[in-house]
Amino acid sequence: MGQTWKSYPSSIRLLAIAAIIFSTGMACIWPLVTIYIHDYLGKPLTVAGFLLLLNQGAFLIGSLAGGMLFDRWGKMKTIVLSSFGIIVISICLGFTTDFTVYTVLLLLNGLFYGTLSPVMNALAVVMWPEGGRKAINLIYVALNAGVAAGSALGGVLASVSFAWTFFGNAFAQVVVFAMFVLILPRHLKALEEAPVRKPDQLASSALNDAPKKVVWGALVLLCAGLLISWIVYVQWTTVLSTYMQSLGISLRQYSLLWTLNGALILFGQPLISWVIKHFARTLKAQMLLGTYVFALSMLILSQTTVYAGFVVAMFVMTIGEMLVWPAVPTVAAEFTPEGQEGFIQGLVSGTGSAGRMLGPLLGAVIFQNFQAQGLLYIMAGLSLMSVAFFVLHSSFQKRSKRRVIATTTIEK
C-alpha cells in the first residue's frame, strides 16, 4: 500500500488528502439532513425530500458555474470563493433554527459545494495529465474514505448537538482551504514551468499537431449514459430503503449495506485492479462492464426478498460503481482541450447531480405503478440503455478522431 501511495506525484497525494478532509466535513452534514429537518425543525418528510431536490438543483448549477470559473476566472480564485462560501454558510447553519433561513442556507450550501466539486477532478487532470485513470480513481477513493469517516463523525457530533455537525464541517473546510491556499500554488507554478503532455497527445503525431476540440456529440452521449447510471444507482438510497423495510429488514441492516459499500471501495482496490486487468483493460470496457454489473444487481434484487440477497446485490452494485464512476470523468478528460478542464468536469459532476434529482421521483412513480419487481426490471433495462449510450459515445469519438487525423494530414 505504501509503495502504491508513493507512486503518485506529491501534488496528487496532497489533492487526495484534501479530498478526504473535504468529504469528511461534507459527510458530517448530509446523512443527517433529513433527520434534522424532520425531527429538529419539525417538518414532514415530504418537505425534507423536496428541499434535498432543490439542493441537488443548486449543486447542478454550481457544478457548471464552478467548472467555467475554474477555466476562465482562475483556479485559485474559484477555490477561494467556493471554500469561503461553504465555511460561512456552514457556520450560519449551526446558529439558525429558523426554517426559512435554513432553507436559503441549504440551497446556497448546495451551490457552493457544486462550485467546488468539479475542482478536485479538474485539478487532478491539470496537475497530472499523464495520470489518466489512476489520478481520478485516487480522488474517487479519497472522497469515499471521507464519506465513511464523516458519517461516523457526524453521528458523534450530532449526539452532542446538531449545530456541531455544521461547525465540524466548517472546520474541515477551513483545513482544506488552508491546504489549497498555502501549498497548491507552488505545485501549480512548478507545473507551468515544466508542462507534461498527455499520453494521447504523444501517441499520434498527426493528432498531436491538431488542436483538441470538444466533441459535443460524444460528450452528450457520455453524459447520457452517466445520467441513467445515476438514476439506477440512486434507487438504493430512496425507493429500495422503503421497500426493504416493508420486507421486515431493519434500518440498522440497511445502514450496514452502506458500511459494506464504503469498506469495499476503500479496501477492494486490489480486487477492482484485478477485474480491470483481466476483463476491462480499456476505459470503454470499464464503463460497459460497470453498467452490465448495475443491471445484474437489479436482476438479483428482483429475485430475492431476504437480506442475504440484498447483501449480494449491494456487493455487485459497488463493483459496478467502482468501475463506472472514476471511468467517466477520465474518459471526458481524454478529449478535453487545454483550458476547458474545469468546464468538462463540471458538466460531468452536474450530470451526476441531475441523476440524483431525477432518480427518486422516477423511481417512486415506477414503484407506485409497477411495484418492486417492475421497478427492478425497468432499472435493469435502463442500465442496458446506459451501455448503448457508452457504446455510441465510443463510436462517435473514434469517428471524430479519424476526421481530425485525416484533416491534419491533408493540411500538411
Side-chain angles (χ1 to χ4, degrees), residues 112-170:
F112 281 107
Y113 261 114
T115 305
L116 191 57
S117 179
V119 167
M120 298 291 181
N121 280 345
L123 281 175
V125 172
V126 170
M127 296 169 71
W128 196 26
E130 72 277 23
R133 172 164 38 189
K134 280 188 68 178
I136 290 180
N137 187 67
L138 180 64
I139 302 304
Y140 164 74
V141 174
L143 290 171
N144 278 277
V147 168
S151 298
L153 179 61
V156 173
L157 293 174
S159 66
V160 179
S161 168
F162 267 110
W164 280 102
T165 62
F166 301 117
F167 296 148
N169 176 51

Side-chain angles (χ1 to χ4, degrees), residues 75-118:
K75 302 173 182 61
M76 290 308 305
K77 289 180 181 178
T78 304
I79 291 169
V80 169
L81 171 68
S82 51
S83 296
F84 184 75
I86 291 171
I87 293 166
V88 171
I89 290 166
S90 294
I91 293 172
C92 291
L93 281 168
F95 282 111
T96 186
T97 56
D98 183 88
F99 178 70
T100 302
V101 174
Y102 179 84
T103 299
V104 173
L105 291 174
L106 192 67
L107 294 180
L108 290 173
N109 192 272
L111 181 70
F112 281 107
Y113 261 114
T115 305
L116 191 57
S117 179

Side-chain angles (χ1 to χ4, degrees), residues 251-310:
L251 281 174
R252 180 176 177 276
Q253 289 174 303
Y254 171 73
S255 66
L256 284 174
L257 292 178
W258 291 106
T259 303
L260 169 65
N261 173 271
L264 186 57
I265 291 171
L266 293 180
F267 303 110
Q269 290 304 309
L271 171 62
I272 210 69
S273 296
W274 181 86
V275 170
I276 290 172
K277 180 179 179 181
H278 290 86
F279 303 105
R281 294 189 176 183
T282 66
L283 287 168
K284 173 188 174 182
Q286 188 174 328
M287 291 190 303
L288 296 182
L289 178 60
T291 43
Y292 279 127
V293 169
F294 277 4
L296 176 61
S297 174
M298 292 293 112
L299 292 175
I300 291 172
L301 289 176
S302 71
Q303 302 303 311
T304 187
T305 55
V306 298
Y307 186 64
F310 284 88

